[in-house]
Amino acid sequence: MARSRSGTRGRRGPRKPPRRAGFAPGAVQVVDPSERGAIELPGTITVKELAELLTVSPADIIRELIKSGIFATINQLIDRDTASLVAEELGYEVAEVTATAGDEDEDGEGGVPAEATKEVLFEEDDEADLVPRAPIVTVMGHVDHGKTSLLDAIRTTQVAAGERGGITQHIGASEVTTKDGKRLVFLDTPGHEAFTSMRARGARVTDIAVVVVAADDGVMPQTLEAISHAKAAKVPIVIAMNKIDRPEANPDRVRTELAEAGVVVEDYGGDVPMVPVSAKTRVGIDELLEIILLVADLQELKANPKRAAVGTIIEAQLDKGRGPVATTIVQTGTLKVGDVVVVGNTFGKVKALESAVGKRIKEAGPASAVVVLGLSDVPEAGDVLRVVSDEKIARAQVEARKNEQAAREGAGAGRATLEDLYSQMQAGQAKELRIILKTDVSGSLGAITRALGQLSSDETKINVLLEAAGDITDNDIMLATASNAIVIGFNTGITDTARRGAEAEGVDVRLYDIIYKLTDDIDAALKGMLEPEMVEVIEGRAEVRQIFKVGKTTVIAGCYVTDGRIVRTGSARVWRGGKVVATDKIDSLRRFRDDVREVAANFECGIGLSGYNDLEEGDIIECYTQQARSRIAG
Ligand code: GDP
């Protein structure tokens, strides 16, 4: 049974003395409503901490606040009264407590960022109830570097070695037991996309990131992304240098390239462990698991198996015979058959639980992967599962959440924006501006990062979470959402889905083609002098199909609008072969012979630009406008 396996091995690391912190920000008292009947709230609490406390996503809290006219950011402190309102809206009872002035949080951080709240979940548990738990591990890395093979190698070696036997069914996660009986949980969807999309939804599941680098290929773009995503999440990294069986393997090159990417491995005097492995010959797999367990030990991962369970859905689907099936990582507490659970927008009673090897089990303890049956609907990956005391509470919470979703339309989720940076700084909340930087060529990266670095001050640090060449993609938006960052594109575009994602999530995306404009904006934002009103909105794109000369100089491009719309009052960026060749105003826009104000997607039109007359067939005209952004006050 998962619980006894995970819970009572009795490994006792050095323990901090029991600490019942007062209500300093970041040291939040967590009371399970099903155990205590009501939650206790501190005098002030950040949006993120409140989300943790109520085990909902921060976006849920922000939406709830928007309903009361409060536009809060994720790290913003809100007072107890406001927090109570939100908690009650979400179906919680709030205990009448008078908060005592807190002992200083020993970590000393006010308005603590996301990462610290991981612990918050367990803060209330009595030290005596906490037991070490297995680490939950995600494998990331460049395509073809062997993520899937490595997971397979880990699973087959260890399942065969483990005493449970049986064949792992595919449930989205695997539990592995080493020869000396230690457990690890691996998430089966490799890659930072899955990792960050969960994180963007407020789920924090992973304790350790294994970054796979093929020894014969070295550090590649997705390796860098994986590293950035893990670092942004403050998840410790273990490097698995794979394919060492290959004759072309060049470990030194890997070490050097990693060092250049800011990851200094232990052999080079750094603190990132690196294990040479071969998923093919299975060399090094045991060592890799050992190192992961060592890193886990340092983290002192603990959970309370006695409390009501909290977990995260990592995969779910509708099974014809069995109804909704959802693989859940139980993060704390013990999930039992018969428990009433709220999961995202749905709830249900746990009808049955299945282990990773397809065995029916009665309960699942902390850090176990189980398939949950009995939900009334299929949840989404990243949804939090929480045991509540009865169906009435479950129903109320689900109702509240559905209402918020309806209210969400149109209301930006209140993410970090350059405009509200200053007010956040003033309020002592923002200490750093997190930036995701995409450029056309990697050559510009250094110059821009340096220029940005010079803007860092004692008050506000500029932290470039990810810098890479290429268009702004969904991944970047996800990382921004998860990390409360803004996205800057320099001489680069943004994919359609990324643009839609950014709009939906309220991510601040800024496109520049001149470095000083970029740095001026950031500088102005840091000084609270940014002109907040106007932002660029990309309206749509049209492809040039034919060129017509009118008179001597004027050129009209016969175009087909491929997406969005072209507006007569807009500006135009002309793309050719992935590069911007001109920026201009739209001078004329026609459908047949008529001047029109706009032309929608899938229609043809004639476009004339005011100054640029060298349009060619195949060019893409990207139409954008400047629009006032509704200021999200800090
Ligand atoms: P992923 O895209 O990162 O999941 O990579 P895969 O696991 O699909 O592996 C990509 C290719 O590399 C496959 O052809 C594997 O057989 C091969 N491969 C993976 N690991 C090793 C290894 O340790 N040694 C050798 N020689 N080939 C490997």
Side-chain angles (χ1 to χ4, degrees):
M1 240 173 14
R3 188 190 152 193
S4 58
R5 198 178 293 284
S6 68
T8 50
R9 265 184 287 110
R11 175 163 55 85
R12 293 176 80 90
R15 290 205 162 157
K16 286 185 193 153
R19 179 167 65 96
R20 290 288 283 258
F23 290 131
V28 176
Q29 208 161 3
V30 175
V31 181
D32 187 335
S34 63
E35 285 172 14
R36 294 282 180 90
I39 55 159
E40 292 175 28
L41 289 168
T44 55
I45 185 167
T46 70
V47 166
K48 195 150 233 171
E49 287 162 348
L50 183 62
E52 281 287 342
L53 185 61
L54 306 181
T55 55
V56 298
S57 97
D60 290 338
I61 303 284
I62 288 167
R63 275 195 293 279
E64 204 52 54
L65 287 168
I66 287 172
K67 282 202 274 178
S68 327
I70 299 165
F71 293 89
T73 56
I74 212 153
N75 289 322
Q76 186 160 336
L77 281 170
I78 54 175
D79 61 23
R80 183 172 185 279
D81 287 349
T82 312
S84 310
L85 274 176
V86 172
E88 279 163 6
E89 270 306 309
L90 294 173
Y92 278 83
E93 207 184 309
V94 179
E96 288 290 330
V97 259
T98 37
T100 41
D103 353 324
E104 267 308 297
D105 180 6
E106 67 186 23
D107 301 326
E109 291 270 318
V112 187
E115 305 69 40
T117 53
K118 202 158 154 191
E119 263 177 67
V120 168
L121 203 56
F122 312 106
E123 192 91 33
E124 161 66 11
D125 297 312
D126 261 335
E127 184 74 13
D129 292 333
L130 290 178
V131 295
R133 64 167 176 85
I136 298 159
V137 187
T138 296
V139 175
M140 318 194 213
H142 196 72
V143 64
D144 277 347
H145 278 197
K147 300 180 289 293
T148 314
S149 311
L150 189 65
L151 274 166
D152 281 347
I154 289 169
R155 254 192 312 255
T156 45
T157 323
Q158 300 307 316
V159 168
E163 79 268 37
R164 285 175 300 169
I167 293 162
T168 25
Q169 51 175 1
H170 175 82
I171 64 163
S174 343
E175 288 187 24
V176 156
T177 309
T178 62
K179 291 190 184 89
D180 38 5
K182 292 190 172 164
R183 256 172 25 95
L184 303 95
V185 178
F186 282 86
L187 299 186
D188 277 354
T189 317
H192 51 271
E193 296 85 355
F195 171 78
T196 300
S197 76
M198 298 252 277
R199 211 161 68 80
R201 306 202 57 230
R204 267 180 301 282
V205 183
T206 304
D207 301 309
I208 293 168
V210 171
V211 175
V212 180
V213 190
D216 58 347
D217 201 24
V219 169
M220 298 303 278
Q222 286 164 290
T223 320
L224 295 174
E225 279 196 26
I227 290 168
S228 306
H229 283 230
K231 278 189 175 172
K234 303 242 159 84
V235 169
I237 295 173
V238 172
I239 303 285
M241 183 169 56
N242 191 31
K243 307 199 186 183
I244 49 155
D245 59 291
R246 297 286 299 263
E248 303 87 350
N250 187 347
D252 271 335
R253 179 179 144 206
V254 174
R255 287 185 189 98
T256 311
E257 288 175 350
L258 283 170
E260 280 163 9
V263 174
V264 186
V265 297
E266 283 169 348
D267 311 357
Y268 272 23
D271 56 3
V272 180
M274 175 163 98
V275 189
V277 296
S278 164
K280 190 176 171 196
T281 65
R282 310 228 162 129
V283 164
I285 303 290
D286 286 343
E287 288 82 349
L288 176 64
L289 296 182
E290 253 167 55
I291 294 292
I292 295 172
L293 286 164
L294 262 174
V295 174
D297 270 351
L298 292 177
Q299 286 188 291
E300 294 191 57
L301 303 170
K302 284 177 193 163
N304 175 6
K306 290 183 183 164
R307 58 172 282 170
V310 178
T312 300
I313 306 297
I314 52 161
E315 207 175 280
Q317 66 265 339
L318 192 62
D319 184 293
K320 270 194 195 126
R322 304 191 296 170
V325 289
T327 301
T328 308
I329 299 281
V330 178
Q331 286 159 293
T332 189
T334 299
L335 183 63
K336 302 183 183 98
V337 173
D339 278 347
V340 177
V341 292
V342 173
V343 188
N345 277 345
T346 183
F347 70 99
K349 198 171 198 154
V350 179
K351 240 190 325 202
L353 293 171
E354 271 177 17
S355 75
V357 290
K359 266 194 208 147
R360 285 280 163 128
I361 51 176
K362 290 227 161 56
E363 55 181 44
S368 54
V370 275
V371 178
V372 176
L373 286 93
L375 300 177
S376 40
D377 218 337
V378 182
E380 280 179 54
D383 278 346
V384 172
L385 171 145
R386 179 161 26 90
V387 172
V388 295
S389 53
D390 60 46
E391 294 203 11
K392 218 174 84 195
I393 291 186
R395 199 163 287 129
Q397 287 187 6
V398 169
E399 270 315 303
R401 212 165 292 178
K402 283 190 177 153
N403 291 341
E404 288 153 36
Q405 253 168 18
R408 182 185 184 178
E409 309 298 306
R415 307 248 174 241
T417 68
L418 214 44
E419 284 86 19
D420 66 3
L421 175 70
Y422 187 71
S423 45
Q424 285 180 23
M425 279 162 46
Q426 294 299 87
Q429 292 146 16
K431 291 199 180 69
E432 64 174 24
L433 171 62
R434 296 175 202 176
I435 293 177
I436 290 158
L437 176 65
K438 299 298 284 277
T439 61
D440 52 345
V441 286
S442 44
S444 334
L445 285 172
I448 296 174
T449 327
R450 265 194 305 282
L452 287 174
Q454 284 166 2
L455 299 176
S456 272
S457 66
D458 288 345
E459 290 82 47
T460 310
K461 201 175 123 219
I462 293 190
N463 183 359
V464 180
L465 294 179
L466 170 71
E467 42 178 279
D471 276 348
I472 296 165
T473 65
D474 300 9
N475 268 337
D476 301 321
I477 302 301
M478 257 171 357
L479 181 59
T481 310
S483 314
N484 222 13
I486 68 165
V487 183
I488 291 179
F490 184 75
N491 270 342
T492 188
I494 172 166
T495 66
D496 286 339
T497 47
R499 177 152 35 98
R500 279 196 293 272
E503 276 163 18
E505 294 292 344
V507 171
D508 190 351
V509 178
R510 284 162 190 264
L511 302 173
Y512 294 93
D513 48 15
I514 298 172
I515 292 194
Y516 78 77
K517 281 204 175 139
L518 188 169
T519 49
D520 276 1
D521 271 8
I522 305 274
D523 194 33
L526 293 177
K527 296 189 173 119
M529 287 164 14
L530 187 68
E531 291 292 332
E533 278 71 35
M534 302 311 284
V535 287
E536 180 184 309
V537 175
I538 293 173
E539 300 286 348
R541 288 185 194 82
E543 198 181 290
V544 178
R545 297 257 163 110
Q546 227 179 330
I547 299 292
F548 302 99
K549 286 234 151 73
V550 183
K552 271 198 185 128
T553 49
T554 311
V555 162
I556 300 291
C559 298
Y560 180 79
V561 182
T562 50
D563 66 283
R565 56 181 194 154
I566 304 295
V567 292
R568 159 78 182 71
T569 50
S571 302
R573 214 175 267 125
V574 181
W575 290 80
R576 186 176 301 154
K579 288 215 164 60
V580 176
V581 292
T583 306
D584 203 349
K585 292 287 293 175
I586 290 178
D587 186 48
S588 68
L589 180 67
R590 288 190 162 192
R591 282 261 316 139
F592 303 106
R593 307 218 145 177
D594 302 328
D595 282 315
V596 289
R597 256 191 251 160
E598 66 172 78
V599 179
N602 303 320
F603 286 102
E604 290 179 337
C605 62
I607 299 177
L609 301 180
S610 7
Y612 187 70
N613 279 325
D614 297 324
L615 284 165
E616 290 176 8
E617 274 174 35
D619 285 351
I620 304 290
I621 297 179
E622 183 176 67
C623 170
Y624 63 95
T625 52
Q626 300 288 334
Q627 285 183 13
R629 177 199 290 272
S630 60
R631 184 190 250 274
I632 300 170

